[in-house]
Amino acid sequence: MHVYYADHFVLPLPQGHRFPMAKYGLLRQRLDGLPGVSLAEALPATDGELALAHTPAYIAAVRDGTLSAAAQREIGFPWSPAMAERARRSVGATIQACRNAMAGEGLAANIAGGTHHAYADKGSGFCVFNDSAVAARLMQAEHARRQRPAGVLRVAIIDLDVHQGNGTASIFARDESVFTLSLHGARNFPFRKEPSDLDVELPDGCADAEYLEALEQALNELERRFDPGLIIYLAGADPHEGDRLGRLKISYDGLEARDRRVMDWAWQRRIPLAFSMAGGYGTDIETTLTVQTNTYRVALDYHARWQRSRT
């Protein structure tokens, strides 16, 4: 299973910054020991690829280091060359994962990504560019070039980060070819939410049974309303009960069941799936790493099923 990384582009964050930059390199180290994982450095997304979901002025400001102080505060990162390059490669990783998944692999992944708070014209909440939005639009363009008579590639973005995917919802607000599903904490960031195609709001303290029932109903509703040819899955670790920003009470077992349900839903319908890790802010970084490693173990199981089906 192809997995893409860009963790060697480290942002020079001030001491005490709450973004867990170290988790990406640590996760790559863990995945390096998992049989069946093929790790590769992510390529940077080009200006033209980014422009499928972002305005030229915003792309130029990130590229050239001309973001205002207010824009940098909203993103949560100070601008630096490493910040700009990492943002491009985080998008590039999801693009490459989508290409692998659609080329017959079935599943592929981005160690980072899930930057769903980025709007067309600005970043927010530790998100510079919106990797899911750019990748969805690019996959549609590439599909059209290959199979024009087959019609538009329909993409479902299943966002199970604990925070609502406001930037993604905004970008695709009037695009019927992309279905945005967000299952998130009702009282968590962002406090002004954008309407997704399907929003499921969860109360503080939500535990496994309630969460998994909400997910099942959401997948049923997705199937009723939309027929995707590609799924981009944001497998956030932050619904976990040990997350300092999450406010939910989902256990390790609950999140593993969540991942298995989403991947099984895609597998049963033979829909290629690319996933990213999205948020994870465990009080103990080992908590986040355990959740994310479990996601990869589940994914390897479904990746193996895809490969057996091709023989």
Side-chain angles (χ1 to χ4, degrees):
M1 182 175 73
H2 285 87
V3 178
Y4 295 94
Y5 65 87
D7 58 87
H8 48 307
F9 294 95
V10 178
L11 276 60
L13 299 177
Q15 180 119 17
H17 196 285
R18 64 180 182 170
F19 187 76
M21 186 61 64
K23 73 176 181 179
Y24 302 104
L26 292 170
L27 179 59
R28 176 157 67 102
Q29 290 173 22
R30 292 198 177 190
L31 297 181
D32 199 25
L34 279 184
V37 169
S38 176
L39 287 162
E41 179 179 333
L43 298 172
T46 66
D47 282 5
E49 289 167 345
L50 293 172
L52 293 170
H54 294 286
T55 63
Y58 178 57
I59 296 166
V62 174
R63 181 190 64 221
D64 300 337
T66 58
L67 289 168
S68 69
Q72 293 178 63
R73 283 195 299 273
E74 185 166 359
I75 291 170
F77 297 144
W79 186 90
S80 66
M83 176 266 225
E85 186 66 15
R86 180 182 181 275
R88 283 183 183 273
R89 290 180 184 255
S90 187
V91 175
T94 297
I95 289 170
Q96 290 170 270
C98 286
R99 284 176 176 154
N100 283 127
M102 294 194 66
E105 191 169 328
L107 277 87
N110 177 358
I111 279 182
T115 46
H116 58 169
H117 299 312
Y119 284 70
D121 60 350
K122 67 175 184 176
S124 180
F126 304 143
C127 301
V128 181
F129 297 126
N130 193 309
D131 64 300
S132 299
V134 174
R137 289 255 171 89
L138 184 58
M139 292 309 102
Q140 289 179 324
E142 293 180 353
H143 180 267
R145 286 198 296 269
R146 290 192 309 266
Q147 305 180 44
R148 185 172 297 277
V152 176
L153 174 69
R154 291 157 68 82
V155 182
I157 299 176
I158 299 178
D159 187 342
L160 302 189
D161 188 280
V162 80
H163 305 105
Q164 198 240 9
N166 56 333
T168 311
S170 173
I171 289 169
F172 293 116
R174 289 171 292 279
D175 189 337
E176 295 183 355
S177 69
V178 178
F179 190 98
T180 53
L181 186 168
S182 182
L183 190 74
H184 55 265
R187 298 178 58 217
N188 214 319
F189 179 89
F191 303 109
R192 187 180 72 81
K193 297 174 172 61
E194 304 282 351
S196 307
D197 291 299
L198 178 58
D199 284 303
V200 180
E201 297 199 324
L202 302 168
D204 286 3
C206 176
D208 290 4
E210 182 180 0
Y211 184 88
L212 293 171
E213 176 59 26
L215 173 60
E216 190 67 28
Q217 291 182 16
L219 291 175
N220 289 340
E221 181 69 6
L222 168 59
E223 183 165 34
R224 188 182 71 80
R225 293 170 52 187
F226 197 76
D227 182 23
L230 171 67
I231 292 169
I232 299 176
Y233 171 38
L234 281 64
D238 43 13
H240 187 264
E241 59 192 346
D243 195 275
R244 56 196 163 89
L245 303 182
R247 303 173 70 151
L248 303 186
K249 297 294 181 184
I250 315 303
S251 68
Y252 288 125
D253 288 346
L255 288 175
E256 184 173 338
R258 171 202 71 172
D259 294 334
R260 192 166 295 279
R261 184 67 191 99
V262 172
M263 293 178 191
D264 192 68
W265 192 90
W267 160 249
Q268 293 297 335
R269 293 154 184 81
R270 301 301 190 271
I271 305 170
L273 181 149
F275 66 98
S276 58
M277 303 321 299
Y281 309 92
T283 304
D284 179 354
I285 198 169
E286 286 297 314
T287 299
T288 298
L289 292 170
T290 298
V291 173
Q292 294 179 332
T293 304
N294 287 344
T295 297
Y296 279 92
R297 293 185 191 280
V298 172
L300 284 166
D301 179 21
Y302 283 93
H303 182 267
R305 298 187 194 193
W306 274 90
Q307 303 324 297
R308 289 195 296 268
S309 73
R310 299 173 65 188
T311 59

